[in-house]
Amino acid sequence: MKRFHSPAAFASSLDGVARRGAISKGCLIGLAVAGALVLGLVVLLWGGYNSLVGTQEDARQKWAQVENQYKRRFELVPNLVETVKGAANFEQETIQNVTQARASVGRVQLPAGLPTDQAQLDEFGKAQAQLGGALSRLLVVSEQYPQLRATENFRTLQDQLEGTENRIAVAREDYTRAVASYNKSVRTFPKNLLANAFNFPPLPQFTAPAEEQVVPKVDFGAK
């Protein structure tokens, strides 16, 4: 047992113990605060990362719908062309324009998944707009051929094309909004730090001239 030579020495010893206790308590509080901060940071990073994944996946799904609708229109063209070829003296230039525009669409290849290159997406959008315009012209010319318009096959193709053009417009609008939301996330603090660290690049948008983005007008006339 430790001996003290005077009451003052004993009191001094007690004061030292108290100070050590205070320091230990302060350390524990500091560690608790630091731990809470680290946990909060982890939660923040986790939530931010999951948010980026969610908005990117939403854009991916919306792009898949755009591709599906464009593919549907692409596949309608051969039947439509073959049907109008059966009309006597149908304007051959119009048929050729549709055929060439479809071929141009087929030559534009985008990588699987989301488009990442603005120039490629612009080329894709331009080719699709040209095909849409050529199809619109074909349907306008078809108004001059009542016998063609009276056939069930042609009317069915018209209806399918009209529905597809409308779905293309909706799909593109949905994709544009999804990309805008995603791009806002990857460019604003603090998610931009995560985007740079985990490879979430901004996505390109459709930038075709306004006149090319208008849905081709399909006037079926009286049925």
Side-chain angles (χ1 to χ4, degrees):
M1 181 176 178
K2 185 176 181 180
R3 298 178 179 275
F4 299 95
H5 300 288
S6 66
F10 179 71
S12 177
S13 177
L14 291 178
D15 183 62
V17 171
R19 287 177 180 274
R20 287 195 296 273
I23 292 174
S24 299
K25 184 177 180 181
C27 288
L28 290 175
I29 293 175
L31 289 174
V33 171
L37 290 174
V38 170
L39 179 61
L41 180 61
V42 170
V43 171
L44 180 64
L45 293 175
W46 187 279
Y49 180 84
N50 287 343
S51 175
L52 288 173
V53 171
T55 53
Q56 186 184 61
E57 186 59 30
D58 183 51
R60 193 188 313 278
Q61 292 175 1
K62 297 299 191 301
W63 175 250
Q65 288 301 312
V66 171
E67 287 189 309
N68 287 341
Q69 297 309 322
Y70 275 135
K71 181 179 178 181
R72 177 180 174 83
R73 182 176 70 179
F74 185 84
E75 293 174 346
L76 283 173
V77 173
N79 288 338
L80 183 61
V81 168
E82 288 302 314
T83 299
V84 300
K85 279 183 178 179
N89 300 319
F90 194 90
E91 188 177 300
Q92 292 301 306
E93 182 181 356
T94 299
I95 296 176
Q96 291 174 0
N97 288 341
V98 170
T99 302
Q100 291 172 359
R102 184 178 186 271
S104 295
V105 167
R107 287 192 294 268
V108 178
Q109 297 296 325
L110 291 175
L114 284 166
T116 56
D117 185 88
Q118 186 67 61
Q120 288 181 334
L121 184 58
D122 289 345
E123 184 181 5
F124 176 83
K126 182 178 180 180
Q128 294 291 353
Q130 289 174 344
L131 178 57
L135 287 170
S136 178
R137 171 63 182 167
L138 183 147
L139 293 175
V140 169
V141 172
S142 72
E143 296 291 327
Q144 303 171 20
Y145 299 84
Q147 290 182 342
L148 172 64
R149 295 180 61 251
T151 63
E152 182 179 354
N153 188 40
F154 186 74
R155 292 199 306 271
T156 299
L157 289 169
Q158 283 183 319
D159 290 340
Q160 290 176 344
L161 182 59
E162 180 186 41
T164 301
E165 293 292 355
N166 290 335
R167 286 190 289 271
I168 286 173
V170 172
R172 281 187 56 154
E173 178 64 23
D174 289 344
Y175 172 73
T176 296
R177 291 178 179 177
V179 169
S181 176
Y182 168 79
N183 284 346
K184 181 179 179 181
S185 292
V186 303
R187 288 170 174 162
T188 55
F189 182 83
K191 290 182 182 178
N192 63 327
L193 302 179
L194 290 172
N196 291 331
F198 294 101
N199 192 27
F200 286 91
L203 295 174
Q205 276 282 21
F206 283 109
T207 58
E211 62 271 14
E212 291 186 359
Q213 297 192 35
V214 175
V215 179
K217 182 176 173 157
V218 180
D219 184 3
F220 299 124
K223 294 184 180 179

